[in-house]
Structure formats: C-alpha cells, structure tokens
Amino acid sequence: QVRLVESGGGSVQAGGSLRLSCAVSGTSYRPYCMGWFRQAPGKEREGVARIDRSGSSSYADSVKGRFTISKDNAKNTLSLQMNSLKPEDTAMYYCAATWRVGTCREFEYWGQGTQVTVSS
C-alpha cells in the first residue's frame, strides 16, 4: 500500500529556513505529480507547491521566491526547501501524490503532516 511520510518540521524564528521531506513507499512507480499543502488552525487547506513527473513546478503566490519544491527520484522523496520563513507560514504541512496521468489538481494519497511553526 502506498504511504507518504513527512519529516523535517519544527520551530524556527522568522527569517529562518526549514527543509521538509516526504518519503514515498509501497510502490516502485513514481507519482505523476506530487505537491505540498498546508493548513493552519481555522483556515482552509491551501496548495503550496507542486511538481510533476517531468520536473515542472508551480507555487502559490505567497511562497514564490522563498520556497523550492524538488524531488529525488533515486530515493523516491519529495522535498520542500523553505527560506525566509514568516509567521504566516505556520501550519501543518502535508505532502500529497497522484499516479493519475495528466493531473496535478487532484491527489489521492496524503501524508500525516508535519508541523511548521515560525515565531516572530
């Protein structure tokens, strides 16, 4: 069974950096698309960044220039490098994946999440 496990969350001061990782297991096939999402208490879940099978990526306007999504195909791992963190980046961060060809909009597999807390 496919499983996604996030790691790398923690507490950091504003302006600092964190690198999140998401390990994919349970399959020998790489996802068509993967993404990072976040949800703060009382807020709706929002997409942060996505990357498809070819390596093409996209970002939410709020994180452009600060976050970088990447994947390590050899390790079957997704990463999110977060720089210049702001208090408003505080949220539970989730990785997600889809093996459905042609879409980066719907994700059928989700990790449990890792907490990111940014203090001012």
Side-chain angles (χ1 to χ4, degrees), residues 19-113:
R19 186 176 181 86
L20 306 183
S21 295
C22 175
V24 180
S25 63
T27 179
S28 61
Y29 299 97
R30 294 192 293 273
Y32 179 80
C33 190
M34 297 189 71
W36 286 99
F37 296 78
R38 66 187 182 186
Q39 186 169 26
K43 304 291 184 179
E44 292 186 341
R45 185 179 64 196
E46 63 174 342
V48 175
R50 304 164 193 254
I51 187 167
D52 68 14
R53 187 165 59 90
S54 69
S56 180
S57 60
S58 61
Y59 299 87
D61 289 341
S62 60
V63 306
K64 285 181 179 177
R66 299 189 298 120
F67 291 10
T68 303
I69 189 171
S70 63
K71 59 179 180 177
D72 186 330
N73 290 331
K75 296 181 179 180
N76 206 14
T77 300
L78 179 74
S79 296
L80 183 68
Q81 179 65 45
M82 305 184 294
N83 297 326
S84 301
L85 283 162
K86 305 175 181 179
E88 50 263 45
D89 294 319
T90 295
M92 184 73 74
Y93 283 70
Y94 301 89
C95 65
T98 181
W99 277 258
R100 295 169 181 159
V101 176
T103 181
C104 278
R105 297 182 62 84
E106 303 292 335
F107 297 85
E108 70 266 33
Y109 294 97
W110 295 80
Q112 288 291 109

